[in-house]
């Protein structure tokens, strides 16, 4: 097998790994939605958080497997550094979502009540994150076969991140005004909103790395 063929095969495998990793992120994001619903409905959030930890562990194991593959393939695989950066960003996303999940548990344990607008904001931001992930998977699925067709998917990730930024700016004042007399609730909810915004930023960073990988293919 030629060097070019080896490189192409390595990239195909790497992309498949990244798509699978993104699906673990989707699973984590869905659990955030479930945690929010449990919190609002007064149900147990601790069991859901235990499930989240299981997903986090799966993500950590996947990261190790993918990184080992990328390091082993680096001699034959062009631009392996970009694929490694994507893995690091996926890891950041899982860590940030874990921060969100844990703080929802803290809100519940401290009996912090959120109004409808704050709950709605969290749901909107998690929905943005899931849409970003969907667009990323579409882009990754076409990266090695039709790189010219992925730019609209990547632009959608950027657009969604800008929506999240705007939402973050608008809700920050609301958080301070509603929880001015509850320092614990204020700090915890502020962390939740910031972590969700960080996830949107992480997806944008991944999108830009994938954009680079498409551009070096000569589109």
């Amino acid at each position: 097998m030629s060097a070019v063929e080896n490189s192409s095969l390595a990239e195909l495998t790497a992309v498949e790994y990244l798509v699978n990793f993104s699906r673990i992120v989707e699973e984590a994001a869905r659990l955030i939605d479930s945690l929010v619903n449990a919190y609002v409905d007064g149900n147990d959030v601790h069991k859901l958080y235990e499930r989240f930890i299981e997903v986090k562990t799966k993500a950590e194991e996947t990261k190790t497997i993918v990184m080992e593959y990328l390091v082993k393939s680096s001699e034959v695989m062009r631009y392996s550094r970009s694929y490694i950066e994507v893995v690091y960003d996926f890891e950041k996303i899982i860590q940030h979502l874990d921060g969100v999940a844990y703080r929802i548990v803290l809100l519940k344990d401290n009996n912090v009540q959120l109004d409808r607008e704050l709950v709605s904001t969290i749901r909107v931001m998690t929905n943005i994150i899931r849409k970003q992930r969907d667009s990323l998977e579409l882009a990754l699925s076409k990266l090695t076969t039709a790189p010219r067709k992925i730019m609209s998917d990547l632009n959608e990730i950027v657009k969604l991140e800008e929506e999240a930024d705007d939402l973050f700016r608008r809700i920050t004042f609301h958080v301070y005004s509603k929880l001015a007399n509850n320092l614990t609730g204020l700090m915890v909810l502020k962390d939740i909103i910031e972590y969700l915004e960080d996830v949107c930023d992480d997806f944008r960073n991944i999108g830009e790395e994938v954009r680079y990988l498409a551009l070096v293919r000569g589109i």
Side-chain angles (χ1 to χ4, degrees):
M1 187 178 293
S2 70
V4 172
E5 289 174 325
N6 279 330
S7 177
S8 297
L9 179 59
E11 286 198 73
L12 284 169
T13 304
V15 168
E16 183 178 345
Y17 273 132
L18 295 185
V19 168
N20 289 337
F21 207 156
S22 81
R23 290 172 181 169
I24 296 174
V25 170
E26 164 68 12
E27 190 175 356
R30 280 192 279 108
L31 277 172
I32 296 296
D33 286 337
S34 296
L35 276 162
V36 172
N37 291 336
Y39 167 85
V40 171
D41 295 338
N43 297 327
D44 184 17
V45 297
H46 292 86
K47 289 184 179 179
L48 284 170
Y49 184 61
E50 289 174 6
R51 284 175 55 192
F52 188 95
I53 293 301
E54 292 174 1
V55 173
K56 181 183 176 184
T57 299
K58 181 164 63 172
E60 291 169 350
E61 293 170 349
T62 300
K63 178 211 168 186
T64 300
I65 293 170
V66 179
M67 291 296 286
E68 287 177 352
Y69 176 79
L70 292 172
V71 170
K72 289 177 182 178
S73 303
S74 60
E75 291 186 5
V76 298
M77 183 176 163
R78 296 185 303 167
Y79 315 113
S80 60
R81 188 69 220 174
S82 288
Y83 288 94
I84 290 172
E85 287 300 321
V86 171
V87 173
Y88 283 144
D89 279 325
F90 274 141
E91 181 184 32
K92 289 179 186 176
I93 288 172
I94 292 294
Q95 293 295 335
H96 289 146
L97 290 177
D98 181 37
V100 173
Y102 178 67
R103 281 158 179 79
I104 292 173
V105 174
L106 287 180
L107 289 177
K108 185 70 173 178
D109 288 346
N110 287 277
N111 296 314
V112 178
Q113 300 299 315
L114 303 183
D115 66 17
R116 184 178 301 174
E117 184 172 353
L118 291 173
V119 171
S120 175
T121 297
I122 295 173
R123 285 174 168 157
V124 169
M125 292 190 77
T126 57
N127 189 48
I128 287 173
I129 287 167
R130 295 177 69 179
K131 286 181 179 179
Q132 284 184 301
R133 196 224 62 93
D134 290 346
S135 294
L136 177 63
E137 180 171 343
L138 284 173
L140 286 170
S141 68
K142 294 179 280 190
L143 177 62
T144 56
T145 56
R148 294 176 183 272
K149 297 181 179 181
I150 74 174
M151 291 304 166
S152 61
D153 300 316
L154 300 178
N155 290 339
E156 181 65 14
I157 293 173
V158 173
K159 177 184 175 184
L160 289 165
E161 188 268 339
E162 290 171 349
E163 288 181 16
D165 278 349
D166 181 61
L167 182 60
F168 174 77
R169 287 190 293 269
R170 287 188 285 111
I171 201 60
T172 299
F173 177 78
H174 187 73
V175 169
Y176 280 101
S177 63
K178 284 292 183 180
L179 296 171
N181 296 320
N182 185 339
L183 184 58
T184 300
L186 173 62
M187 293 176 64
V188 172
L189 186 61
K190 180 174 176 290
D191 283 348
I192 288 175
I193 301 299
E194 287 181 348
Y195 278 135
L196 290 172
E197 192 210 11
D198 286 340
V199 172
C200 295
D201 290 341
D202 293 334
F203 268 115
R204 179 169 183 159
N205 291 339
I206 293 175
E208 292 309 304
E209 208 67 60
V210 174
R211 189 188 304 274
Y212 168 75
L213 289 169
L215 290 172
V216 295
R217 290 175 174 275
I219 68 171

